[in-house]
Each structure stands twice: as C-alpha cells, then as structure tokens.
C-alpha cells in the first residue's frame, strides 16, 4: 500500500502532506526573491509556485534578518536543493554550518501556492 494517500494517512501524515508525498516529491530547480517578500519557485515538474515568506520574517525568528529586502534577495538553492540564505554573506556556509538558514523543498512545495497563469 505504499505511495498512496491512504498509506501516508495511516502513518500519521495530514491530508495535505499525504497527497503531496503520494504524488511524488518535487525538486526545486529555481528560486527568485520578489519585492513583496515572496519567493517564486520552479520545480522539476515545470510547475511555478509562490511562497509567501512574510509570516516567517518576525522578530525573534531565524528569518528575522531577512526582513531587510537586500538580505532577503540573497536567497539561493544550496547543494541539497533547499532554499537557503547565508546569515553573514561573508562567511562560507559550507565551512560554518550555523551560518545558513534553509527550507526543505517539501515544505516549500506544500506551503506555496501555484503561480497564477501557469
């Protein structure tokens, strides 16, 4: 019964996650930061989606420093295919692991909305 919505529901996943995993995991192939603190994400199935980051940019969170639009626009895909930002752009996050903030592709997909007109 693996790879079905029912299988994932039986393992404790909520419906949204069960439907996502049953449909197959997606890889992010591109990310662009927008002026309204959203990200335009392109996935390996050709789909484009919008992820609204505004709720995550609150004071006291790991994303707080990215409320500055210049910092927000330093987004990139890391070598694991996650959406990422370096806290200090002058430090190599491959050498200093705690310099990077990232979001896994699965969360990016499930928390984003399809781009209108796509």
């Amino acid at each position: 019964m693996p790879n079905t919505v029912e299988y994932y529901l039986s393992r404790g996943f909520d419906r949204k996650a069960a439907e996502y995993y049953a449909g197959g995991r997606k890889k992010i192939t591109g990310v662009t930061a927008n002026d309204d603190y959203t990200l335009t994400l392109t996935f390996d199935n050709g789909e484009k989606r919008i992820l609204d980051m505004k709720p995550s940019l609150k004071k006291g969170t790991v994303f707080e420093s990215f409320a500055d639009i210049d910092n927000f626009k330093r987004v990139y895909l890391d070598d694991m295919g996650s959406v990422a930002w370096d806290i200090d752009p002058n430090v190599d996050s491959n050498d200093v692991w705690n310099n990077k903030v990232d979001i896994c592709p699965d969360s990016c997909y499930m928390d984003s909305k399809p781009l209108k007109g796509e």
Side-chain angles (χ1 to χ4, degrees):
M1 181 161 117
N3 298 327
T4 66
V5 172
E6 293 73 24
Y7 169 79
Y8 290 105
L9 289 172
S10 75
R11 306 305 269 173
F13 288 68
D14 65 24
R15 178 152 297 276
K16 184 177 183 179
E19 289 173 355
Y20 168 77
Y21 284 105
R25 296 176 75 185
K26 316 295 187 284
K27 292 181 182 176
I28 302 172
T29 59
V31 60
T32 303
N34 303 309
D35 290 333
D36 63 353
Y37 293 98
T38 62
L39 299 173
T40 301
L41 305 168
T42 305
F43 290 87
D44 61 346
N45 63 354
E47 189 174 0
K48 288 191 175 188
R49 298 176 68 88
I50 296 290
L51 179 62
D52 184 359
M53 290 298 298
K54 288 184 289 297
S56 301
L57 301 174
K58 295 178 182 161
K59 192 171 185 140
T61 70
V62 295
F63 294 101
E64 177 181 1
S65 66
F66 307 113
D68 175 298
I69 194 67
D70 292 329
N71 287 339
F72 182 75
K73 288 193 169 195
R74 290 189 290 104
V75 69
Y76 65 95
L77 290 180
D78 70 9
D79 58 353
M80 300 300 291
S82 296
V83 169
W85 292 266
D86 293 327
I87 297 167
D88 181 341
N90 300 312
V91 174
D92 184 347
S93 290
N94 292 320
D95 294 333
V96 181
W97 67 269
N98 63 349
N99 184 55
K100 182 169 67 173
V101 176
D102 61 4
I103 312 169
C104 78
D106 301 324
S107 293
C108 286
Y109 190 90
M110 287 186 280
D111 294 339
S112 63
K113 296 186 181 340
L115 184 64
K116 292 180 182 177
E118 289 292 314

